[in-house]
């Protein structure tokens, strides 16, 4: 959490300095917006999951899903091109992404630890998984305004992992040693944790829309779709890619 709070403090300080500079320039030039630039603070709630695409056949059913408390705090600078509906937007934000699930599995590759030590093989039974990650994210977007109130945006984002966790347990099932035809061992409960193996960098695409309530406040919604898995390709404990896919709903305030 130390990295997260340091980054959040850095974001707050940078936002304050940028906003102060903008206010000074606007006062000097007698304008509310300096040469078409708009600076905004934003906050939102995210819901989604870290999921395989397509769903592997080893996962037979999702019994429960809890999105958890995921939030997005950010600062952005937007420039509207003169005599055009188009513009660009750059930002810096903190993303909390997480979820927990419970699933039925069959012949699911598992590396976990119980009271007897490490177990590796094809697990059939129930699996609980919890994902929780903090990112600092740089979105780079193109914007288009349909009217003075409605607009859309789209582009890419780059994320750096501040800290993260990926853990869970396998229970009420059995595991076959190494492969689906190996020796069978009953599993009451075995635990796994791969937080240290998460990728440091993620990238993806973002699409969004917003509605202007008034001069200062906007409502927004966006979808962030990660294009690379949360684990590196050399990581084999999880045998399929997991992609972070989250939708965020929130409010932005123009400085």
């Amino acid at each position: 959490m130390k990295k997260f709070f340091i980054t959040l403090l850095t974001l707050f300080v940078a936002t304050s300095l940028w906003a102060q500079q903008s206010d000074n320039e606007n006062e000097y030039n007698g304008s509310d917006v300096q040469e078409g630039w708009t600076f905004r603070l934003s906050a939102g709630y995210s819901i989604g999951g870290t999921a395989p695409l397509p769903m592997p056949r080893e996962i037979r059913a999702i019994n429960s899903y809890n999105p958890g408390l995921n939030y997005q705090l950010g600062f952005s600078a937007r420039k509207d091109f003169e005599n055009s509906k188009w513009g660009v937007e750059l930002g810096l934000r903190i993303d909390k992404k997480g979820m927990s699930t419970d699933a039925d599995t069959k012949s699911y590759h598992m590396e976990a630890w119980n009271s007897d030590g490490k177990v590796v093989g094809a697990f059939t039974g129930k699996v609980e998984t919890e994902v929780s990650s903090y990112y600092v994210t740089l979105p780079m977007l193109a914007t288009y305004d349909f009217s003075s109130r409605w607009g859309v945006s789209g582009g890419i984002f780059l994320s750096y992992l501040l800290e993260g966790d990926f853990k869970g347990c396998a229970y009420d099932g059995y595991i076959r040693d190494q492969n689906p035809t190996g020796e069978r061992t009953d599993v009451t409960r075995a635990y796994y944790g791969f937080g240290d193996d998460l990728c440091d960098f993620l990238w993806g695409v973002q699409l969004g829309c917003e509605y202007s309530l008034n001069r200062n406040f906007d409502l927004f919604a966006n979808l962030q779709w990660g294009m690379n898995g949360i684990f590196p390709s050399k990581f084999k404990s999880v045998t399929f890619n997991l992609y972070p896919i989250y939708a965020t709903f929130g409010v932005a305030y123009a400085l």
Side-chain angles (χ1 to χ4, degrees), residues 21-40:
Q21 181 180 2
S22 176
D23 288 342
N24 292 338
E25 290 176 349
N26 291 340
E27 181 178 356
Y28 176 78
N29 290 279
S31 173
D32 290 326
V33 179
Q34 176 68 17
E35 298 181 354
W37 285 96
T38 303
F39 305 102
R40 300 193 301 177

Side-chain angles (χ1 to χ4, degrees), residues 44-177:
Y45 172 75
S46 300
I47 184 171
T50 302
L53 293 175
M55 188 69 70
R57 63 182 182 179
E58 293 90 344
I59 300 178
R60 297 305 174 95
I62 303 296
N63 299 318
S64 66
Y65 161 77
N66 184 348
L69 180 59
N70 302 312
Y71 53 83
Q72 188 180 98
L73 303 173
F75 172 68
S76 63
R78 170 174 169 169
K79 180 174 177 60
D80 296 316
F81 299 135
E82 188 176 358
N83 299 323
S84 174
K85 294 180 178 292
W86 290 94
V88 294
E89 184 173 343
L90 300 175
L92 186 66
R93 68 178 187 236
I94 297 293
D95 288 320
K96 163 65 167 58
K97 295 181 177 180
M99 65 162 198
S100 60
T101 62
D102 184 282
D104 290 335
T105 67
K106 184 176 182 179
S107 298
Y108 180 88
H109 178 76
M110 175 65 62
E111 295 185 16
W113 289 260
N114 60 17
S115 58
D116 297 324
K118 186 176 182 180
V119 292
V120 180
F123 175 77
T124 297
K126 297 183 181 297
V127 175
E128 291 180 351
T129 301
E130 181 180 347
V131 184
S132 178
S133 299
Y134 295 89
Y135 295 95
V136 58
T137 299
L138 173 66
M140 296 172 283
L141 310 172
T143 65
Y144 183 84
D145 292 329
F146 290 104
S147 68
S148 60
R149 290 191 178 273
W150 286 100
V152 295
S153 62
I156 65 172
F157 66 85
L158 305 175
S159 292
Y160 175 74
L161 179 68
L162 298 174
E163 63 179 69
D165 203 3
F166 185 97
K167 62 183 180 180
C169 68
Y171 66 102
D172 291 351
Y174 61 88
I175 192 167
R176 292 192 178 275
D177 186 41

Side-chain angles (χ1 to χ4, degrees), residues 186-209:
D186 290 338
V187 175
T188 302
R189 189 167 290 266
Y191 298 89
Y192 61 89
F194 303 124
D196 293 337
D197 300 295
L198 294 169
C199 287
D200 289 331
F201 291 95
L202 291 175
W203 76 277
V205 297
Q206 177 175 316
L207 299 173
C209 63

